[in-house]
Amino acid sequence: MLDQRAQDPDAELLARFAEGDQAAARALTERLMPGVVRQAWRVLGDRDEAEDVAQEVMLKLWRQAGQWRTGEAKVTTWLYRVTQNLCIDRIRRRRPTADIDDVAEPSDGAPSVLERLAQTEQNRALARAIMALPDRQRDAIVLRHFEGLSNPEIGARLECSVEAVESLLARARRQLAKGLRCEGTEIGNG
Amino acid sequence: MDKGGKNDLDHLLASLARDERAARPEPGAALIARVLADAADVTAAGDRAATAEPMRPKWRLSWPSLAPLAWPGGAVATMALGLTLGIGIGYGYGDQAVAMTALDGVIAGERGALDDPLDGALWAEGPF
């Protein structure tokens, strides 16, 4: 149990919180909240909604703390899943008839968060290509290039092997290159 | 995709990631305060639930689970208790209390004025 907590310092903090340690709650909040807010913002495109979701996610975590089974999953993996689910619920409430597959690509053609914040036309084209990726490939690209996670860390988050992550990234890159060519943005052969 | 193409794509991804980092929201102090307040509320609710559990009065006769009776010693102890109780009532052991705790099957308490022929551990505290 001690070794497992050492491999997941968040689990160690969560166990201390479950025993009433509010300093552990603060440490967990500072460690985990930024990632949760970013993830929710990327999906929802709205800062206020992202913050609401983040607060809801952390409340669920506090309530779960006493029952957390160390070693079964990382805290960050659980947070990622719960955040994603809550974001999807919000989007469903916005557009109740929308298909869940439309989460990444709004059916009304509105630009995604990534596209809106891109500073150049080339970046906007890349943003559109990223949003057109299948969900798992997009998740892998975002976690790798926007969150800076290693392949093992991505595997833990997506609950798949490192080999699966490498395969997702390779396929995603091929799709992105193809998508950019369709947009008229050639990847140079340098 | 050749190596050059891969590098160019990584370049583009790094450039878009920089744009994203410049625009991404960070949790503000108000949000962090709300989350920590939630944590404190959850802890307080847990503490209240733990301290609100009622204490079982010692004198209450609680029906034991049948498990101890399945144990031969428990059956013997139960019969002996009944016999002693009958004797005790007959000899006016009114001040003695009898109770049997359910789960541990241990009965202890004060002896009566007379030595009782059976093990005095069969008597227990509490009003009779």
Side-chain angles (χ1 to χ4, degrees):
Chain A
M1 175 80 78
L2 285 175
D3 286 341
Q4 288 166 342
R5 285 192 192 171
Q7 288 171 14
D8 187 5
D10 296 324
E12 167 71 27
L13 286 168
L14 196 60
R16 281 169 41 197
F17 166 72
E19 290 160 9
D21 184 350
Q22 295 303 307
R26 176 168 284 278
L28 270 173
T29 301
E30 286 168 1
R31 281 170 68 90
L32 301 173
M33 279 285 289
V36 174
V37 169
R38 279 200 300 276
Q39 180 188 351
W41 172 69
R42 284 189 196 111
V43 177
L44 297 170
D46 180 272
R47 182 192 178 131
D48 291 336
E49 277 205 274
E51 290 196 347
D52 285 347
V53 165
Q55 185 178 357
E56 224 178 309
V57 169
M58 294 305 288
L59 180 57
K60 284 182 186 294
L61 183 66
W62 303 143
R63 287 176 174 159
Q64 281 284 328
Q67 287 89 45
W68 185 265
R69 294 189 295 270
T70 304
E72 287 195 11
K74 286 195 152 192
V75 174
T76 46
T77 304
W78 184 90
L79 277 179
Y80 186 81
R81 263 272 190 86
V82 172
T83 303
Q84 204 73 356
N85 289 343
L86 287 179
C87 289
I88 289 169
D89 287 348
R90 288 229 167 197
I91 289 174
R92 277 183 176 146
R93 284 201 290 274
R94 282 181 198 165
R95 295 176 307 195
T97 57
D99 191 305
I100 192 57
D101 290 335
D102 289 341
V103 166
E105 199 161 353
S107 56
D108 61 2
S112 65
V113 170
L114 272 182
E115 194 181 343
R116 281 188 271 125
L117 54 83
Q119 297 294 310
T120 64
E121 186 47 49
Q122 220 174 22
N123 284 1
R124 280 190 282 276
L126 177 59
R128 286 191 289 272
I130 288 173
M131 297 314 289
L133 288 173
D135 289 351
R136 298 273 284 179
Q137 289 179 24
R138 185 179 59 253
D139 290 346
I141 285 285
V142 167
L143 290 172
R144 184 78 174 84
H145 292 278
F146 293 82
E147 289 292 322
L149 300 188
S150 65
N151 287 356
E153 287 169 332
I154 295 170
R157 202 67 68 89
L158 299 183
E159 296 183 288
C160 62
S161 66
V162 172
E163 292 76 19
V165 171
E166 288 167 358
S167 171
L168 282 170
L169 287 170
R171 292 204 305 267
R173 285 180 205 277
R174 283 196 293 273
Q175 280 293 111
L176 288 176
K178 188 174 160 191
L180 286 169
R181 275 197 294 277
C182 292
E183 292 254 3
T185 303
E186 284 292 336
I187 306 288
N189 291 328
Chain B
M1 189 188 310
D2 63 25
K3 199 165 190 285
K6 182 172 184 287
N7 288 341
D8 282 348
L9 180 58
D10 283 345
H11 238 104
L12 276 180
L13 284 164
S15 173
L16 183 57
R18 278 194 296 275
D19 290 349
E20 196 254 13
R21 265 196 301 279
R24 65 171 52 158
E26 292 294 329
L31 173 60
I32 290 177
R34 289 199 300 274
V35 167
L36 291 176
D38 286 343
D41 286 346
V42 167
T43 300
D47 289 345
R48 279 196 298 273
T51 55
E53 190 177 348
M55 301 284 288
R56 192 195 321 188
K58 279 188 184 174
W59 54 265
R60 178 174 294 173
L61 185 66
S62 55
W63 293 104
S65 70
L66 296 179
L69 295 181
W71 171 55
V76 169
T78 304
M79 286 189 310
L81 170 66
L83 182 63
T84 304
L85 184 59
I87 295 170
I89 291 170
Y91 281 93
Y93 277 47
D95 290 334
Q96 299 297 330
V98 176
M100 184 158 53
T101 59
L103 296 178
D104 60 16
V106 174
I107 301 166
E110 294 183 11
R111 290 172 181 261
L114 297 176
D115 281 340
D116 104 33
L118 299 174
D119 185 355
L122 293 173
W123 293 99
E125 289 182 8
F128 177 60

